[in-house]
Amino acid sequence: MPTTQFDKESIKKSILGKLQRYNGRTLADATPQQIYFAVASTVRDQIMQKWVAFREEDKKSTAKRLYYLSVEFLTGRSLHCNMLNLCSMETYLQAFKELGLDWRAIIKEEPEPGLGNGGLGRLAACFIDSLASLSLPAMGCTIRYEYGLFRQRILEGQQVEMPDTWLENGNVWEVPVPDDRCQVRFGGWVEEAHENGRMVFRLRDYYSVDAIPYDMPVAGYDCQTVNTLRMWRARSPKVMDLATFSSGQYSKALQEQELASVISKVLYPEDNHYEGKELRLKQHYFFTSATLQYALKDFKRRFGRNFRLLPEKMTVHINDTHPGLAIPELMRLLIDEEGLGWDEASWIVQHTVAYTNHTVMSEALEKWPEDMMRNLLPRIYMILQEINRRLCARLADHYHNGADPRIAKMAVTAYGQVHMANLCVAMSYSVNGVSQLHGNILKKDTFRDFYHFTPEKFSAITNGITHRRWLMNCNPRLSRLICDTIGDGWIRDPQLLRELLPYREDAAFQAEFEKIKRQNKETFSQVLMQRQKMSVDPDFMFDVQVKRLHEYKRQLLNALHILVLYNRIMDDPNFTMTPRVFVFGAKASPGYYMAKQIIRLIIAISKLIDRTPRAKQFLRVIFLENYDVSGAEALIPAADLSEQLSTAGKEASGTGCMKFMMNGAVTMGTMDGANVEIHEQVGPENIYIFGMRADTVSDLYQAGSYQPIQIFEANTELRRALTQIIDGTLFPENPAALQDIYHNLLFSDHYFVLKDFGSYSMAQRRVDADYQNREKWLKMAITNTACSGIFSSDRTIREYNDLIWKM
Ligand code: 26W
């Protein structure tokens, strides 16, 4: 075993040695940052040893490889998970103890890479963990953003965005790989010529950008596999022009280098909302082209120029449409660089690229202006046009009518726009949704016409989360209890968590479970104190809604309900309820006005309660600032109730819901996305379901008859709460501050907040009563943990592999 080099004594020696060599310090006078570096680079050394051995083996392999392309990988911190996946936790903890180090403090020093917005990016991170742990050969490919998602601060009750400088002190986990650098070309024009009886295309007057890969090892759990997360960084290919520099024109000399490197400068903060920004298109093409150039190089090294073999030897999986230019780029590389004909290249692409859709929100579907595409990527644009021409010809043929309206709906280019989802559906061999409901909506609605042509392409594979990070790592107390109760088989096979079911009525087990939840609440309260100088009472019920702020996720439903509770408390001196703290965490896209107003509302309600002593006995509202992966890891194990309130049909899957469930929180949710499947797993008695079903929502949109004002008039409690938004209750000095929320709800309410409010409020009454019945509640909570195994991303990845990748 190579790990014997990393026994306790050598770990201690390594940490002390690194502090001495890199910092010239002893342990006693090293800073926490320096200690973190010494520890993390010791763990890295251990991974590197495995990585080298793994890659030696891998080089000889002729097996199929997966390239998982995603514009986001929201990995969170790595140190803790790496120690766990190496199965060296105990040894490290012993070493820390003997050195007098507090490991919690060390872990906190790691900057969190915020290379993602929300669900899509976090899913990619769970997937690479599962891929490695199941020993499937895969490379995650993305952009090495210098600035990740903004850091959120709350100032005067409003969100303020600050840059996320995660690379400031370096990144211990990455290794630059200059030998795999390549160039990506933009702009110019296409010269067409005949050579040896065939058309050739040459890009002229282009400018190119260097793509430099930085690799991060992804160590699988208790196995020899170490996969790679490859992050591409953009750099100018030109060294700075010294003549210009010497003549004193410093800024001109620097300009060109700056222009190239902006491509990997910053992550776009829009989630589920598309804007046709040119820099974003550059980012997408940049990392997609670099990845495919590398993938082809690797393919040729292994199999020569036998390109027919390509679909058998690699899959390019595109995580939503953002890397969709992989399709024309692979065509370009095969035709222009390798000399293949159109038909052969097209066949290869259509058997190599697989696509996952993550949203049906129309404002999130990418459509690039044709002009922009033509100017920035002229050769790619040409290929897109040819793909479109052939697609439309086939459709016209099929419908016996070149003017059939379905053709424009399915076209790749139409009305001056390139429709990325149509490109991906038309040219991939697989199109999948991320929950059963979402998969059905794709077939019946979003891609209905495509589905009629090629039903065999479509599938639904429900998302998952890695139980290693989201249970073993973030909730060590519960993990220990589970191991003590049913053994540790569930770590390899999380479905074995079901063996907990008989214990849900066991009084001793319930007591332990309850004790752990309380301890986790105390721990969270400490974290909250460190993060924003606040604490919470661990005797309160923890009711949590954490996710991106978006109107469809309906944080408003929750906020209005809190106002209703406030009024019940204030109106009736005899009123009592289960004391509850409502925790919110949510970043709003900086340009999303309504989302920012909703944050203001939540904070205003929090302040209203804090200045009202009677209300404070029963209610608290906490807005967790800068909600990120580390925040989630501290909060989710402490939650009692998980709020999943999206308008049915809008949340493709949701993955937060699974993390809460696994940690023993009960769901309050609509029949949307993965909630439907949680309901199926735990049964109706262990979940709170409310609101309209997706088909009813769809009918209501069709009918166009919804009038929220009628509900406003009929529901007294709701009317009162809504009125408080504008009557000075919340902002005595500025009552109009949130009037847009009020107007929107009354006269539009696109996401049916008012419509579902009554049902939500009733379900919340049941929660209040059930939580008092400790036995009943604990039984529900334990059932949720016990039934959560199916939502491990190991199951998800196995399904992708069986159905799509076939590695
Ligand atoms: C171009 C702007 C943009 C940015 C991000 C459009 C769309 C996106 C993502 C596809 C949005 C997203 O993160 N979707 C979420 O994906 C998760 C993983 O599958 C699901 O669990 C969530 O329900 C879905 O909202």
Side-chain angles (χ1 to χ4, degrees), residues 145-437:
Y145 302 102
E146 200 175 320
Y147 299 95
L149 185 64
F150 67 85
R151 292 182 54 84
Q152 177 194 55
R153 291 199 53 199
I154 301 298
L155 291 176
E156 295 174 23
Q158 283 180 266
Q159 167 175 301
V160 176
E161 301 91 26
M162 313 284 226
D164 164 43
T165 54
W166 72 288
L167 280 173
E168 209 168 34
N169 298 312
N171 174 12
V172 198
W173 306 108
E174 69 184 14
V175 200
V177 190
D179 355 346
D180 283 343
R181 106 150 66 87
C182 62
Q183 298 206 327
V184 179
R185 301 180 304 174
F186 295 96
W189 55 279
V190 181
E191 180 184 81
E192 299 176 37
H194 279 277
E195 259 172 36
N196 307 323
R198 63 188 297 272
M199 284 281 276
V200 292
F201 303 88
R202 277 195 207 92
L203 198 59
R204 297 290 184 202
D205 301 331
Y206 59 84
Y207 61 95
S208 60
V209 172
D210 269 1
I212 324 275
Y214 286 69
D215 287 357
M216 253 171 81
V218 182
Y221 177 79
D222 193 16
C223 66
Q224 295 313 311
T225 302
V226 184
N227 282 339
T228 300
L229 173 58
R230 173 156 283 192
M231 306 181 290
W232 295 96
R233 175 186 175 196
R235 219 179 52 182
S236 167
K238 299 196 183 112
V239 279
M240 193 170 51
D241 182 359
L242 256 188
T244 320
F245 193 81
S246 311
S247 70
Q249 293 176 277
Y250 303 126
S251 62
K252 186 162 178 248
L254 286 167
Q255 220 167 33
E256 244 179 305
Q257 301 204 300
E258 283 287 310
L259 278 179
S261 60
V262 292
I263 292 180
S264 56
K265 195 61 82 183
V266 59
L267 169 73
Y268 275 93
E270 281 83 34
D271 179 81
N272 257 310
H273 185 89
Y274 161 77
E275 275 176 273
K277 294 269 170 56
E278 190 186 55
L279 182 56
R280 187 170 191 140
L281 183 58
K282 279 190 191 166
Q283 289 187 332
H284 294 178
Y285 183 66
F286 166 75
F287 95 98
T288 303
S289 172
T291 299
L292 286 176
Q293 290 182 50
Y294 169 75
L296 276 189
K297 186 169 96 177
D298 183 63
F299 175 84
K300 285 195 281 187
R301 188 185 55 72
R302 295 197 300 155
F303 307 105
R305 303 190 66 263
N306 187 5
F307 294 111
R308 279 244 130 197
L309 256 187
L310 209 112
E312 219 177 283
K313 295 303 177 186
M314 65 186 242
T315 286
V316 174
H317 200 101
I318 53 178
N319 199 26
D320 216 278
T321 58
H322 318 135
L325 292 179
I327 290 162
E329 175 66 1
L330 187 52
M331 296 281 291
R332 185 189 71 80
L333 290 167
L334 293 172
I335 296 169
D336 297 1
E337 308 286 329
E338 306 295 346
L340 268 59
W342 179 278
D343 290 332
E344 203 179 355
S346 172
W347 180 87
I348 292 170
V349 168
Q350 290 181 62
H351 290 84
T352 303
V353 179
Y355 158 58
T356 300
N357 172 285
H358 294 266
T359 181
V360 296
M361 306 271 294
S362 54
E363 65 267 37
L365 298 180
E366 282 189 294
K367 293 183 190 108
W368 294 102
E370 281 191 66
D371 289 346
M372 191 187 283
M373 192 70 83
R374 189 188 306 114
N375 292 331
L376 190 67
L377 305 165
R379 178 61 181 139
I380 292 298
Y381 178 68
M382 247 171 131
I383 294 170
L384 289 171
Q385 275 190 311
E386 182 60 14
I387 292 173
N388 183 57
R389 195 185 63 74
R390 289 170 185 244
L391 171 69
C392 293
R394 254 186 301 140
L395 293 174
D397 204 43
H398 178 88
Y399 294 129
H400 305 296
N401 173 11
D404 192 289
R406 283 170 289 191
I407 300 179
K409 265 177 63 194
M410 298 165 82
V412 174
T413 56
Y415 308 112
Q417 293 188 310
V418 180
H419 196 309
M420 293 301 287
N422 286 352
L423 170 71
C424 295
V425 177
M427 296 294 286
S428 302
Y429 72 90
S430 159
V431 177
N432 78 290
V434 290
S435 70
Q436 300 312 302
L437 177 68

Side-chain angles (χ1 to χ4, degrees), residues 535-553:
S535 64
V536 274
D537 183 345
D539 285 327
F540 274 41
M541 170 169 136
F542 276 36
D543 178 331
V544 184
Q545 187 174 21
V546 282
K547 49 184 78 256
R548 281 302 286 260
L549 214 140
H550 203 294
E551 285 162 284
Y552 86 82
K553 294 178 186 279

Side-chain angles (χ1 to χ4, degrees), residues 754-807:
L754 302 203
K755 182 86 185 164
D756 276 346
F757 186 84
S759 164
Y760 178 62
S761 166
M762 298 284 275
Q764 285 288 15
R765 279 186 199 268
R766 290 196 285 130
V767 169
D768 185 86
D770 291 348
Y771 191 79
Q772 293 296 326
N773 182 344
R774 294 313 291 157
E775 253 182 74
K776 178 174 183 182
W777 187 270
L778 286 164
K779 190 176 155 196
M780 291 173 79
I782 295 164
T783 306
N784 270 271
T785 300
C787 297
S788 67
I790 195 167
F791 297 110
S792 163
S793 45
D794 290 3
R795 187 268 313 148
T796 313
I797 290 298
R798 282 200 181 92
E799 284 184 27
Y800 271 83
N801 196 38
D802 292 346
L803 240 72
I804 304 174
W805 302 329
K806 304 190 197 295
M807 288 188 280

